[in-house]
């Protein structure tokens, strides 16, 4: 009986340790590809880095950048929407002037350091927007926390997990706040003095407007714009973007999201999707910020795709509203790609020179116009539908839920589930069971893999057969 229990325990333990270990290694690598995508390439000698013009008669919005990675869509959504109004000074602000990285591997140069912005304004910014910033290193987050605390009386807009960064400063104590549904497992324990809400796209409490997951940030920012500039301006921006969910700006209450089976697909993709696709994103002057972030964000965080920034030169690419981007690859030395995506509704005209340069230098990958080929669609819809075709329905449905995108217009078509991911999982489990079998035979029941009498009979049979044939 003891031996049976020992054998069973051996199989279970090795299966758990081997499959879990392989999965953990894969998940950590995928996590680093997205949340740890800091620039390793040397920063070129930058020329012509410009700042958006400062108008002292306009209120100022500071959109923060972390010292580790900053969630790309969380940053780009408020940056572009506030910029579209033309009623604000909108600046990318960080603790220093060094190049900062967004999740998935997009790099940009801050407009101002904290010290420079304070000197320029002589007061607090009118609005400080806080995207989710990775804070694995408390020392790197310290100057950001201190600066936020110094401007405690201004208006704060937190996007998605940025509410956790704000809570870490102590400024959400005694307040109610929204956040991404996945954070609701952690934040109530980590910050118990805040009332965390699961059923609000955004929530306004005092000087804080907090949003739930990613796309909820659109509603939160449009709400702030409607309050500061007027609702007609907010409605006009939503129509220009083809945003299908403006009704949430007026009524942010929703049914909560919870963990379900699709989250396991997300985890397994990150853990066992070994042959990740390589997708290039061509940067060009005038590209819309949210269109760019949607490509990096939606594909990179699925665990299925690495996204690489590519441009025609090492010098900064200036977005539609004045961000200075630095690519990690130039067209001449870009690695082999599975697809090349060109984001933005006006990509065909604005990126014409870059496309021509790409076609002359590379004929192995045809450019894919992800937004200009669908000008009447909201950009998230286009990306999610393409992801479903590239991967599968379960992967795309989790990406849709992760973005908290609640539109009914989206039509997902593709394979029902990630066959490669589950095949790799089964292969890993089979190898684990084989290892357990070998240990069982050699160390527990102490039998050789082949009994000698069996091997002897096999050899005798081969000898007789050979004699008959000769």
């Amino acid at each position: 009986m003891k031996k049976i229990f020992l054998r069973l325990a051996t199989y279970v333990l090795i299966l758990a340790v081997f499959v879990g270990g392989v999965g953990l290694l894969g998940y950590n690598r995928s996590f680093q590809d997205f949340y740890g995508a800091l620039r390793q390439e040397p920063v070129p000698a930058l020329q012509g880095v410009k700042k958006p013009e400062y108008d002292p008669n306009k209120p100022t919005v500071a959109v923060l950048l972390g010292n580790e990675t900053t969630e790309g869509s969380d940053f780009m959504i408020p940056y572009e929407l506030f910029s579209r109004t033309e009623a604000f000074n909108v600046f990318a602000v960080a603790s220093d002037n060094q190049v900062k990285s967004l999740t998935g591997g997009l790099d940009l140069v801050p407009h101002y350091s904290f010290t420079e912005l304070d000197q320029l304004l002589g007061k607090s910014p009118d609005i400080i927007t806080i995207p989710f910033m990775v804070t694995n290193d408390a020392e790197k987050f310290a100057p950001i926390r201190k600066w936020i605390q110094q401007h405690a009386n201004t208006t704060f807009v937190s996007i998605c997990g940025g509410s956790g960064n704000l809570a870490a400063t102590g400024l959400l104590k005694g307040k109610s706040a929204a956040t991404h549904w996945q954070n609701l497992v952690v934040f109530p324990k980590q910050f118990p003095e805040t009332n965390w809400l699961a059923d609000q796209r955004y929530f306004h409490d005092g000087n804080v407007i907090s949003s739930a997951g990613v796309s909820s940030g659109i509603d939160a920012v449009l709400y702030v714009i409607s309050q500061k500039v007027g609702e007609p301006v907010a409605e006009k921006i939503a129509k220009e973007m083809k945003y299908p969910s403006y009704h949430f700006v007026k009524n942010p209450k929703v049914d909560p999201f919870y963990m379900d089976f699709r989250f396991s697909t997300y985890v397994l993709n990150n853990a066992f999707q070994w042959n990740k696709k390589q997708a290039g994103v061509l940067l060009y002057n005038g590209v819309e910020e949210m269109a760019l972030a949607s490509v990096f964000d939606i594909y990179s965080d699925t665990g299925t795709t690495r996204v690489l920034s590519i441009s025609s030169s090492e010098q900064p690419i200036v977005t539609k509203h004045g961000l200075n981007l630095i690519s990690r690859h130039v067209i001449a030395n870009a690695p082999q790609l599975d697809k090349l995506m060109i984001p933005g509704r006006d990509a065909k005209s604005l990126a014409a020179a870059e496309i021509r340069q790409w076609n002359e230098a590379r004929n192995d990958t045809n450019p894919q116009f992800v937004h200009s080929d669908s000008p009447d669609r909201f950009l998230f819809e286009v990306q999610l539908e393409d992801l479903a075709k590239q991967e599968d329905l379960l992967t795309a449905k989790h990406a849709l839920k992760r973005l908290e995108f609640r539109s009914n217009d989206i039509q997902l078509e593709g394979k029902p589930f990630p066959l490669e991911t589950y095949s790799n999982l089964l292969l890993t489990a089979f190898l684990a069971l084989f290892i357990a079998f070998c240990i069982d035979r050699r160390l527990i029941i102490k039998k050789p893999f082949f009994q000698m009498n069996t091997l002897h009979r096999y050899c005798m049979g081969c000898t007789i057969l050979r004699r008959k044939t000769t």
Side-chain angles (χ1 to χ4, degrees), residues 71-106:
E71 219 289 341
S73 290
D74 290 3
F75 175 85
M76 293 297 198
I77 284 170
Y79 185 88
E80 178 175 335
L81 294 184
F82 280 120
S83 297
R84 276 177 173 265
T85 67
E86 299 183 349
F88 300 92
N89 301 301
V90 186
F91 301 127
V93 183
S95 61
D96 56 49
N97 296 112
Q98 300 301 309
V99 171
K100 305 300 178 184
S101 297
L102 303 181
T103 48
L106 183 61

Side-chain angles (χ1 to χ4, degrees), residues 216-284:
S216 301
I218 298 173
D219 304 328
V221 175
L222 290 175
Y223 166 77
V224 174
I225 290 171
S226 71
Q227 297 298 299
K228 301 289 187 181
V229 187
E231 189 165 324
V233 176
E235 289 183 333
K236 179 175 179 290
I237 291 172
K239 288 179 181 178
E240 290 173 351
M241 295 192 307
K242 314 297 181 184
Y243 182 53
S245 304
Y246 185 78
H247 57 278
F248 288 128
V249 177
K250 298 181 179 180
N251 179 18
K253 191 172 179 62
V254 290
D255 292 329
F257 278 129
Y258 298 102
M259 294 279 187
D260 63 14
F261 67 95
R262 284 168 292 201
F263 189 73
S264 64
T265 299
Y266 168 76
V267 173
L268 291 175
N269 273 341
N270 279 276
F272 293 100
Q273 184 71 267
W274 300 331
N275 185 29
K276 297 183 188 297
K277 298 171 183 64
Q278 293 226 114
V281 178
L282 191 62
L283 308 182
Y284 58 90

Side-chain angles (χ1 to χ4, degrees), residues 150-409:
Q150 288 172 347
H151 299 284
N153 294 322
T154 194
T155 297
F156 292 101
V157 181
S158 70
I159 309 295
C160 193
S163 56
N165 299 117
L166 184 57
T169 68
L171 298 181
L172 282 184
K173 288 182 179 180
K175 292 183 181 293
S176 295
T179 191
H180 193 284
W181 59 270
Q182 290 176 211
N183 294 327
L184 292 170
V185 180
V186 179
F187 283 2
K189 298 176 183 177
Q190 192 173 2
F191 308 108
E193 294 177 311
T194 300
N195 177 34
W196 296 101
L197 304 172
D199 61 350
Q200 299 287 328
R201 293 279 287 181
Y202 66 86
F203 192 75
H204 189 172
D205 189 346
N207 65 328
V208 176
I209 299 92
S210 56
S211 84
V214 191
S215 70
S216 301
I218 298 173
D219 304 328
V221 175
L222 290 175
Y223 166 77
V224 174
I225 290 171
S226 71
Q227 297 298 299
K228 301 289 187 181
V229 187
E231 189 165 324
V233 176
E235 289 183 333
K236 179 175 179 290
I237 291 172
K239 288 179 181 178
E240 290 173 351
M241 295 192 307
K242 314 297 181 184
Y243 182 53
S245 304
Y246 185 78
H247 57 278
F248 288 128
V249 177
K250 298 181 179 180
N251 179 18
K253 191 172 179 62
V254 290
D255 292 329
F257 278 129
Y258 298 102
M259 294 279 187
D260 63 14
F261 67 95
R262 284 168 292 201
F263 189 73
S264 64
T265 299
Y266 168 76
V267 173
L268 291 175
N269 273 341
N270 279 276
F272 293 100
Q273 184 71 267
W274 300 331
N275 185 29
K276 297 183 188 297
K277 298 171 183 64
Q278 293 226 114
V281 178
L282 191 62
L283 308 182
Y284 58 90
N285 289 324
V287 61
E288 298 108 305
E289 293 83 4
M290 285 174 57
L292 188 61
S294 73
V295 179
F296 276 88
D297 204 7
I298 289 174
Y299 294 89
S300 296
D301 194 42
T302 61
T304 66
T305 310
R306 290 191 183 92
V307 181
L308 311 175
S309 58
I310 301 170
S311 66
S312 59
S313 77
E314 293 182 335
Q315 290 308 302
I317 296 295
V318 182
T319 67
K320 184 172 183 177
H321 299 102
L323 286 176
N324 294 286
L325 308 177
I326 312 296
S327 71
R328 297 191 180 182
H329 304 274
V330 296
I331 291 174
N333 65 9
Q336 187 71 32
L337 302 173
D338 294 293
K339 65 194 301 183
L340 176 70
M341 294 181 282
I342 309 178
R345 288 191 174 90
D346 298 319
K348 290 183 179 179
S349 57
L350 294 179
E354 288 81 0
I355 296 166
R356 185 164 54 250
Q357 185 177 344
W358 175 268
N359 289 332
E360 290 172 354
R362 305 282 295 268
N363 57 10
D364 55 344
T365 309
N366 292 323
Q368 177 182 339
F369 296 95
V370 291
H371 299 123
S372 57
D373 280 346
S374 303
D376 295 326
R377 304 290 306 284
F378 180 59
L379 51 91
F380 282 7
E381 294 171 337
V382 176
Q383 300 304 145
L384 288 164
E385 289 175 354
D386 183 68
L387 177 65
K389 293 175 183 177
Q390 175 186 302
E391 299 299 331
D392 59 272
L393 294 179
L394 281 183
T395 297
K397 285 178 179 179
H398 178 267
L400 187 151
K401 184 177 177 180
R402 172 186 165 266
L403 295 171
E404 298 198 16
F405 187 58
R406 294 175 181 262
S407 169
N408 295 322
D409 297 335

Side-chain angles (χ1 to χ4, degrees), residues 38 46 67 117 123 130 135 212-213 217 219 228 248 263-264 271 306 346 438 440:
L38 294 170
L46 302 178
N67 285 325
L117 186 66
K123 63 181 183 65
I130 304 177
T135 55
D219 304 328
K228 301 289 187 181
F248 288 128
F263 189 73
S264 64
R306 290 191 183 92
D346 298 319
C438 295
D440 179 28

Side-chain angles (χ1 to χ4, degrees), residues 451-469:
Q451 297 287 349
M452 288 306 295
N453 57 348
T454 302
L455 183 63
H456 178 72
R457 286 198 299 270
Y458 174 77
C459 294
M460 287 295 295
C462 291
T463 302
I464 293 170
L465 181 62
R466 187 165 58 251
R467 286 176 179 174
K468 286 183 177 181
T469 56

